[in-house]
Each structure stands twice: as structure tokens, then as C-alpha cells.
Amino acid sequence: MWLALSPVGTSWSPGDQSWERMSTYLNLRGPRSMPTLPTQARKRLGAGLRRLRTDADLTVDNVVGELGWGRTKLIRIESAKVRLSAADLRKLGKLYGADANDLARLHELMDAAGSTPWFAAYTDLLTAALMEYIELEAMAAQIHMANTGVLPGLLQSRSYATAVYESQPHIPDPDQAARLVEVRMKRQRVITEDGVPLRAIIGQALLHVATGGRDVLKEQLGLLAEMSELANVELRVVPFSAERAILTSGISVFDFDAEPGGDQEPSVAFTEHEGSMLLRDAELDVRRFRRLLDHLATQSLDPDESRHMITKRMEEL
């Protein structure tokens, strides 16, 4: 059985209508501004300050001697271990000769580092791995995913998501289950409000598995058809006739935009198994997962054919 996947790279060519549609959308949209996520903002702030310091040919000892700080203070700022005050940022910016654009971006990062993300309200409920997954998902410039047995959370209806949690072997407390569904619904805003491109493939079997019952499935198929019409969503179906489409675990790949004037943020991958989630950020791992997604994409129907299949199945219910 299949789930959602997002094709990347070699499976897309300028001759494909789907490629042209997504390319047009990305050109109009432009680079995505990073959302206000404290952990990553603090890391980017520290890295940016370290880059400015080295560009100014200053050592840690030079800086702390000039400002009268202890060495550990600057080291902890650059390694994202402590928060930075506006006054200290001004001092560092002046010493490093930062221009107006650099200072504006550093101030944005400083503000973001002190903010509270929406999912912080669920820290008592979410595992550390899932928290990291949600944070990276919220930062992504493009999302690519694959899984088995269930539709992707970013495309689930509320009723379907509720049924999924009720069907799991470790059924949570009803109140916890309701909050988990709420988290899943809020995560979808990266697609519906932020417009992050999602390239996804679902297996045909998932159009027939009545998770939650007939009415829930019909509603879910209607949502899939609706979401597939969004300019930033590429939804494909792997048909029963596909001869070489095998996936044994869930995969998500997140790509990121480069910071203005900064380095490219490396892509990351997550693998999911029952009850566990693992971050895979080694370049070789990410490249291999991306190759797998490319291969699976060649086994799928194109977006128009996929939408037709989904609509036809919905009409049968």
C-alpha cells in the first residue's frame, strides 16, 4: 500500500505541463521568507554574526577586548546558546561595520529568536522528533513526501485525521487525540496559507481504504480533488498497474531557500516507521531518498489523470 510522495529532479522535465505549471508558480512566488522559528533564527543569527566578524578580520579576543566582554559571552552568542539583546547587537554591528541591510536582517532574526511558535502550546503532547519535524516543515521552501498506509497529514481532512488516530494501535486519550488532530490541521497552513509547494503522490489503494467509513472517505477524496487544484500542489496517483513502485517506510524531504546574502540551507530527510521518526541530514542519505522519490514518480499518473481518478472514485461512493 502507498501514501504520498513528492517527485523531485529527474522525473520533471520542461516538456511536462506539470513542470511548467509549478515553475510558473515558483517564479511568481519568488524565494520564501523564513518564518519566525526561534531555534533556527537563533542559529542563523549566531552564524550571521560570526560571518560578519570573520569578514571584518576580527578574532574573538579582538571583539571581547574592544567591548569589554568575557570570551564565553561571544562564543555562546555565535553558537546560539544565549539570547542577544538589541543593545549588544548594535555594538557588534558597529564594530563589524555591518551595512543597513545586514543590520535589518539581524534584527529580524533577533526578534524571531525571542518569539513563540504556534506549536509551542503542544510541547506536552509532541515528541522531540515530531517537534523538530514540524519546525523544519514550517521552514521549508518545498516539501516532498512519501509514506505507506495512510494519506499525508498535509492533505487530510479533519474527519479522516480523527479516524487515523482512532485506528492506531496505541489509541491516545480522547482529549489528546483531539489536540493531535488540531496540530495536524494547523500544519496544513504551510500549504493553504503560506503557499509552500507540495509535490505528492498517493497510491490508488488509498482511494479505496475506507478509513473512518464511507462518508469520511468521500469527504477526504473531495478534499484531495480540491487541494490538487491549488497552484502549489502537485498530486499524483500510483495506479494498481504500476510494476515498480515499492516503498517500505515513510519519507519526507524538505528543501530550503538560501538566506539573503547567506549560505544555502542543506536539505533534510525524515524516515517514519510505526511509532518512530528519524532525521536523516547526511548529504548521501538525502540524495538517495530524492532518487527514490524520482523513481516512484515515474510510476505515477500525471496530475490531470490523477485528479480524474480521484473524482471518479468519489462519485462511486
Side-chain angles (χ1 to χ4, degrees):
M1 188 180 292
W2 257 87
L3 160 62
L5 150 151
S6 310
V8 192
T10 58
S11 59
W12 298 63
S13 66
D16 297 335
Q17 289 184 347
S18 57
W19 188 95
E20 294 174 358
R21 174 189 178 204
M22 187 64 79
S23 295
T24 299
Y25 171 76
L26 290 172
N27 288 335
L28 290 172
R29 174 177 172 269
R32 184 186 182 209
S33 297
M34 288 296 176
T36 55
L37 298 174
T39 302
Q40 293 299 322
R42 195 154 47 242
K43 290 180 180 178
R44 291 173 181 275
L45 177 59
L49 288 170
R50 183 167 56 252
R51 186 162 48 244
L52 286 174
R53 175 175 61 77
T54 56
D55 288 347
D57 291 325
L58 294 172
T59 66
V60 171
D61 288 333
N62 293 151
V63 175
V64 299
E66 182 68 25
L67 298 179
W69 292 356
R71 291 186 87 256
T72 57
K73 177 175 179 176
L74 182 59
I75 291 172
R76 289 176 68 81
I77 288 173
E78 291 186 355
S79 59
K81 301 297 185 183
V82 296
R83 292 179 60 178
L84 180 68
S85 69
D88 286 342
L89 178 57
R90 286 194 297 270
K91 292 176 182 178
L92 291 172
K94 182 178 180 180
L95 182 61
Y96 297 162
D99 61 26
N101 289 333
D102 286 334
L103 285 175
R105 182 55 184 150
L106 290 172
H107 272 286
E108 288 180 10
L109 290 171
M110 183 188 69
D111 291 341
S115 66
T116 302
W118 66 264
F119 47 83
Y122 301 91
T123 53
D124 63 312
L125 184 67
L126 305 176
T127 64
L130 184 53
M131 287 284 287
E132 184 174 28
Y133 182 96
I134 292 173
E135 183 167 352
L136 291 170
E137 179 182 74
M139 293 175 58
Q142 293 188 86
I143 298 174
H144 320 271
M145 57 177 54
N147 209 320
T148 55
V150 66
L151 291 167
L154 292 178
L155 297 176
Q156 289 182 9
S157 69
R158 182 178 292 274
S159 297
Y160 185 94
T162 300
V164 168
Y165 281 116
E166 291 176 348
S167 302
Q168 290 181 343
H170 305 292
I171 299 176
D173 175 274
D175 293 328
Q176 288 186 330
R179 293 179 68 207
L180 286 168
V181 171
E182 195 63 38
V183 169
R184 184 155 294 182
M185 296 300 100
K186 289 183 177 181
R187 284 173 50 201
Q188 295 177 2
R189 294 185 298 200
V190 300
I191 305 301
T192 59
E193 297 181 13
D194 298 342
V196 174
L198 171 67
R199 293 171 175 172
I201 295 178
I202 60 175
Q204 185 177 351
L206 293 175
L207 307 184
H208 295 265
V209 178
T211 301
R214 179 190 182 97
D215 292 340
V216 171
L217 177 59
K218 186 172 184 177
E219 177 191 42
Q220 175 63 69
L221 294 177
L223 178 62
L224 288 179
E226 179 182 334
M227 295 286 278
S228 73
E229 296 281 0
L230 297 177
N232 58 309
V233 174
E234 185 77 37
L235 180 59
R236 298 177 179 236
V237 175
V238 175
F240 289 138
S241 59
E243 297 180 354
R244 303 182 65 183
I246 298 175
L247 184 66
T248 58
S249 68
I251 301 172
S252 299
V253 175
F254 300 138
D255 297 320
F256 307 96
D257 284 331
E259 280 294 310
D263 298 327
Q264 176 67 47
E265 183 81 9
S267 300
V268 299
F270 277 85
T271 56
E272 299 176 60
H273 300 273
E274 182 63 44
S276 66
M277 180 179 291
L278 180 64
L279 172 66
R280 311 291 289 270
D281 56 0
E283 184 178 350
L284 179 60
D285 285 339
V286 175
R287 186 165 63 247
R288 285 174 171 170
F289 288 128
R290 199 182 295 280
R291 189 182 303 129
L292 173 59
L293 299 183
D294 286 341
H295 167 71
L296 293 172
T298 67
Q299 302 295 302
S300 68
L301 301 177
D302 70 31
D304 290 337
E305 293 171 330
S306 299
R307 187 180 304 110
H308 176 73
M309 177 179 282
I310 292 169
T311 302
K312 182 179 179 181
R313 173 58 183 154
M314 181 175 61
E315 292 172 350
E316 293 172 353
L317 294 171

